[in-house]
């Protein structure tokens, strides 16, 4: 990551630039900013973690991890889901996504989360500490998500008995998270 980036928790003044990052990274028709706004407003046992990367004072990358559940054999377990991750195209392929993922995983660990789950590219996320969730006996929330795309990073609070079915919050479903797109 040769350019000078500052990676830190987002603040209110970052919101407009974060919207621009996601619109540039995903296209404005994806409406990722609406997902981000709704996740910021969600009340949950684990607070939403929102990390921004800035360059010359402007947000150029962003990642969120928000509350979800694992429906375990004995109880619901509070977990986090990583979504979305976006880097402005002018700053991609510089290690910024990797740095953002590492920062949000550290923040999740600091909050006592046992794991962070996601749906995404196994090649990309596998190189950044994620593994197929099925290896930990965690079932995906929808058969529309290809099994290799549903992944987990376990954290120190994880214990091997944390198995079951992953459950997205309604805010995720409303915004199409869980409806994995291969293109």
């Amino acid at each position: 990551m040769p350019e000078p980036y500052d990676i830190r928790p987002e603040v209110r003044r970052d919101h407009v630039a974060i919207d621009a990052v996601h619109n540039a990274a995903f296209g404005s028709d994806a409406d990722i900013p609406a997902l981000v706004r709704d996740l910021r407003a969600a009340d949950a046992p684990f607070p939403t973690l929102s990390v921004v990367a800035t360059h010359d004072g402007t947000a150029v990358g962003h990642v969120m991890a928000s509350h979800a559940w694992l429906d375990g054999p004995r109880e619901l377990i509070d977990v986090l889901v990583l979504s979305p991750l976006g880097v402005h195209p002018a700053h991609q392929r510089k290690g910024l996504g990797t740095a953002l993922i590492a920062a949000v995983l550290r923040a999740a660990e600091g909050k006592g989360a046992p794991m962070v789950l996601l749906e995404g590219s196994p090649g990309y996320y596998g190189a950044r500490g994620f593994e197929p969730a099925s290896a930990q006996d965690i079932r995906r929330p929808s058969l529309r998500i290809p099994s290799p795309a549903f992944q987990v990073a376990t954290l120190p609070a994880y214990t091997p008995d944390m198995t079951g079915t992953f459950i997205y919050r309604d805010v995720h479903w409303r915004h199409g998270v869980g409806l994995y797109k291969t293109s």
Side-chain angles (χ1 to χ4, degrees):
M1 207 167 54
E3 295 191 39
Y5 293 103
D6 180 33
I7 297 179
R8 57 172 174 72
E10 79 167 33
V11 293
R12 185 175 299 276
R13 71 176 179 273
D14 297 321
H15 291 185
V16 171
I18 288 170
D19 289 355
V21 165
H22 289 300
N23 283 332
F26 294 99
S28 60
D29 59 330
D31 203 12
I32 300 300
L35 169 64
V36 169
R37 282 189 297 276
D38 286 352
L39 289 172
R40 280 185 192 121
D43 185 30
F46 281 123
T48 297
L49 305 173
S50 187
V51 179
V52 64
T54 62
H55 177 67
D56 292 334
T58 301
V60 296
H62 177 252
V63 65
M64 286 185 118
S66 59
H67 180 261
W69 297 278
L70 184 64
D71 187 6
R74 291 182 302 280
E75 64 186 347
L76 287 177
I77 300 164
D78 296 312
V79 299
L80 291 171
V81 58
L82 189 154
S83 179
L85 167 66
V87 175
H88 191 283
H91 296 271
Q92 292 177 0
R93 307 213 186 289
K94 298 179 181 184
L96 197 49
T98 299
L100 284 164
I101 292 167
V104 83
L105 289 177
R106 282 191 305 275
E109 182 178 336
K111 294 294 182 188
M115 63 186 79
V116 177
L117 295 109
L118 61 79
E119 56 181 90
S121 165
Y124 182 80
Y125 289 101
R128 287 149 185 89
F130 287 82
E131 66 176 327
S134 60
Q136 301 299 336
D137 198 22
I138 299 171
R139 289 176 296 284
R140 57 200 166 156
S142 169
L143 295 176
R144 292 176 297 236
I145 302 170
S147 187
F150 185 58
Q151 300 164 73
V152 63
T154 58
L155 302 173
Y158 166 81
T159 59
D161 64 332
M162 293 180 175
T163 64
T165 302
F166 178 76
I167 304 171
Y168 277 117
R169 293 174 63 96
D170 63 337
V171 65
H172 295 104
W173 291 113
R174 279 196 318 267
H175 290 282
V177 175
L179 305 176
Y180 190 79
K181 297 167 185 69
T182 56
S183 57

